[in-house]
Amino acid sequence: MSTDPTTRTRSGGGEWLQAWDPEDERTWDRALAWRTLSITTFTLTLAFASWFIASALAPKLTNLGFDLTTNQLYWLVAVPGLSAGILRLVWMVLPPVLGTRKLVTLTTLLLLVPLVGWAIAVQNPDTSYAWLLALAFMSGIGGGAFSGFMPSTSYFFPRRLQGTALGLQAGIGNFGVSLVQFVTPWVVGFSMVGFLGASQTETFPGRPPADVWYQNAAWIYVPFVLIGAVLAWTMLKSVPVKTSVRQQFDIFRNQDTWWMTLLYIMTFGTFAGLSGQFGLLIKNLYGGGNPEIATRLADGTTQVLVAGYAIPDPVAFAFLGPLVGAAARVLFSPLTDRFGGARWTLLSGVGILASVIWTSTTLSPDVTNGAAALQSEFTGFVLGMLAIFLFAGIGNASTFKQMPMIFERRQAGGVIGWTAAIAAFGPFFFGVGLTLMEPETFYYIGAAFAMMCIAVTWVRYARPGAPRPS
C-alpha cells in the first residue's frame, strides 16, 4: 500500500487513490472514509435482505399452496447459508483485485438476480422445488458480499476507529436480516403496482383466507438496489493494496486465524443460523407445524388448545431476533474501541452459553397442559432466543475489534473475510442440524461449542498475561 507521508490523498481524477495512509492524519481523508462507510453500509443492508429473503418467505409457502414438507422448508432456508459461505471464499480475495468501487457496484447489481427470481417464483405454487433451491442458492450472493465489503472498508480507517467503523457497517448491515422479516408482512398486504403480479390466497389457522401479494417482498428492494449501484459507481474510490491472491493466503500460517474463526462461528454463525431458522422454529414448535397442534386443529378440538392461546404467526416474531443482534453489534462497537474486544468476546460466550441452556428447556412444548402453560412456554422460548441474539451481537462487535488488533493491516482484511466466510455457513449448519436431529440435541451441541470458545478466549486473548491481548 502506498504510504507516502508527505503527500495529501489524491486520486488523479480516477478511481484509484495514489496516496493513502489512514494512520497518518496528513494523508487520511476523513470525509472520504465516512462516505465510503455510508454507501457500503447501505448496499450491505440490501445484500443481507436479499440473503435472508428465503427465511421470510419459507414459513409462508405452505400457506400459499406450495406442497412442501418440514424438512424441505428447513433445507430451503439452509441453502443460502451454504452458498454464502462458498461465495465469501471468493469475495474475500476480491477487494485488492477489483477495488472498492467495482466490487461494491457489481455485487449490488448481482442482487437483482435472486430478488427478481423470488418475485416471479412465489406467485406460482407449481414452481418446482429444484427451482426454489436454485433461488435459495443465488440468494447467497447477498451473504457473499460481506467478505468483500468489510475488508474493503477496513482499508479506509485507522486502527483506533476500526471497531466503531466495522461494527457500524456490520451491525447496520445485519439490520437487513430484520428488515426483510419485518417489512414482508406489511408489503404483502396490498398491490404495489398491477404489472408486478396478481394476488395469491393465503390460509392461516384461525383466520379467514386473505388476498396477499408475496412478490412485493422481493420487488420492494429492486429500486433501492439500483440506487445503491449508482451511488457506488459515482462516489466510491479504491485503495491500492499491494498484495496478490497467493500472498493473502499466508493468514493460514497464523494460529490466531483459526482461533478467531472459531470465535466468529460462535458469534456470527449463531446470529446468522438462528436468523434463518427462527421463523421455522416458531412454526414447527408452537404453530401449525407442530404435529400435535396440527392434529388438534384437524380433528376439531381446537378450543382445547387455543382458548387463550393464539397460534403465533412466525413473521410477527422472527424479525425481533436479528433486530436485537444487529442493535447489539452497533451499540457495543464503540465500547470495544474503548475497552478492547477480548473481554466482550468472553462476556458474549458466557451469555450465549447460559441463554442456549435456558432456551433448550423450551423446545418440547406440551400442548396437553392447556393454553396458559403453552403460552408461558412460548414466551420463555422467545425471550431465550432474544437473549442468544443479544450476546451473539455483542460478540460480533468484539471479534471485529480483535482482528485488526491481532493482525497487520494486510492480513486483517483477509482474516475478516475468511472468518466471515466460514461463519456464513451458520444458516446451512443450523438447517442441516435441525433436519437431522431434535432441537434439544442441536442446542446441547451448541452449548458444548460455546464452552470451548469461552476457554479459547480466556486462554489466548482475555486473561492477564494472555499471548495476544486484544
Side-chain angles (χ1 to χ4, degrees):
M1 184 188 303
S2 176
T3 57
D4 178 5
T6 65
T7 308
R8 291 295 299 173
T9 300
R10 59 187 186 274
S11 62
E15 171 189 353
W16 293 89
L17 299 170
Q18 297 176 16
W20 183 262
D21 182 4
E23 304 297 341
D24 188 339
E25 289 288 342
R26 293 173 296 177
T27 65
W28 183 45
D29 187 337
R30 182 185 300 267
L32 174 60
W34 286 101
R35 182 169 75 242
T36 300
L37 178 66
S38 299
I39 294 172
T40 55
T41 300
F42 172 66
T43 53
L44 184 63
T45 303
L46 296 172
F48 268 82
S50 174
W51 183 19
F52 277 86
I53 192 168
S55 70
L57 295 174
K60 288 295 189 176
L61 291 179
T62 54
N63 301 95
L64 299 177
F66 286 79
D67 185 16
L68 300 171
T69 67
T70 297
N71 281 350
Q72 284 179 318
L73 291 174
Y74 274 134
W75 275 104
L76 203 58
V77 176
V79 165
L82 173 65
S83 60
I86 294 171
L87 293 175
R88 283 188 177 189
L89 296 175
V90 177
W91 257 256
M92 65 176 280
V93 302
L94 294 181
V97 178
L98 293 181
T100 301
R101 181 187 179 189
K102 291 188 182 72
L103 176 66
V104 175
T105 302
L106 295 176
T107 302
T108 303
L109 288 174
L110 283 174
L111 300 179
L112 295 173
V113 177
L115 289 173
V116 174
W118 276 113
I120 296 172
V122 77
Q123 298 180 58
N124 182 10
D126 293 326
T127 301
S128 70
Y129 184 60
W131 178 237
L132 294 178
L133 285 176
L135 288 173
F137 190 89
M138 287 186 284
S139 297
I141 294 170
F146 188 87
S147 282
F149 286 26
M150 294 295 290
S152 186
T153 301
S154 73
Y155 299 150
F156 286 85
F157 286 88
R159 287 188 174 186
R160 63 183 175 83
L161 292 176
Q162 287 201 10
T164 298
L166 296 181
L168 286 172
Q169 179 170 43
I172 295 174
N174 289 169
F175 276 121
V177 183
S178 185
L179 176 69
V180 72
Q181 294 171 339
F182 176 76
V183 168
T184 296
W186 172 63
V187 298
V188 302
F190 55 89
S191 175
M192 293 193 301
V193 182
F195 67 81
L196 295 181
S199 66
Q200 305 93 51
T201 300
E202 179 183 17
T203 60
F204 190 83
R207 301 179 189 173
D211 289 334
V212 289
W213 291 261
Y214 264 86
Q215 64 269 29
N216 293 354
W219 286 128
I220 190 70
Y221 300 105
V222 169
F224 296 102
V225 166
L226 295 174
I227 292 170
V230 171
L231 290 175
W233 184 254
T234 58
M235 300 185 69
L236 294 182
K237 298 289 185 180
S238 299
V239 175
V241 178
K242 296 180 179 179
T243 182
S244 66
V245 172
R246 181 178 180 181
Q247 286 176 320
Q248 293 185 63
F249 285 98
D250 67 357
I251 61 174
F252 300 120
R253 294 196 295 268
N254 188 327
Q255 65 169 300
D256 288 298
T257 298
W258 304 104
W259 297 129
M260 292 307 302
T261 299
L262 288 177
L263 300 187
Y264 201 58
I265 290 172
M266 177 186 70
T267 56
F268 183 78
T270 297
F271 170 85
L274 289 182
S275 293
Q277 301 296 337
F278 194 12
L280 283 177
L281 282 170
I282 292 173
K283 178 177 182 177
N284 294 329
L285 294 176
Y286 289 92
N290 183 318
E292 292 186 59
I293 294 177
T295 299
R296 287 169 178 260
L297 291 173
D299 67 12
T301 60
T302 303
Q303 292 303 315
V304 176
L305 173 67
V306 299
Y309 173 75
I311 301 295
D313 188 345
V315 298
F317 294 92
F319 78 95
L320 291 173
L323 179 66
V324 168
R329 189 168 197 168
V330 172
L331 294 175
F332 279 83
S333 291
L335 296 178
T336 66
D337 274 335
R338 183 174 181 181
F339 298 107
R343 64 183 65 184
W344 291 108
T345 302
L346 186 66
L347 172 66
S348 169
V350 173
I352 289 174
L353 174 62
S355 303
V356 166
I357 293 174
W358 163 265
T359 308
S360 67
T361 65
T362 68
L363 300 178
S364 296
D366 187 351
V367 302
T368 64
N369 288 335
L374 189 59
Q375 182 63 56
S376 177
E377 284 188 273
F378 177 65
T379 300
F381 167 74
V382 171
L383 292 177
M385 291 287 287
L386 294 184
I388 298 173
F389 277 108
L390 170 66
F391 289 107
I394 293 173
N396 288 340
S398 60
T399 49
F400 264 49
K401 172 61 178 179
Q402 287 182 264
M403 284 182 270
M405 302 303 295
I406 295 170
F407 302 92
E408 61 165 295
R409 179 176 294 275
R410 177 184 63 80
Q411 285 191 322
V415 173
I416 288 172
W418 163 257
T419 57
I422 300 305
F425 285 109
F428 176 71
F429 290 135
F430 274 63
V432 173
L434 291 170
T435 300
L436 297 179
M437 63 188 76
E438 294 298 317
E440 294 94 334
T441 304
F442 185 74
Y443 273 61
Y444 295 153
I445 293 173
F449 184 76
M451 285 190 284
M452 179 184 67
C453 290
I454 292 169
V456 169
T457 304
W458 173 255
V459 172
R460 185 70 180 169
Y461 304 112
R463 67 180 172 87
R468 297 305 302 267
S470 52

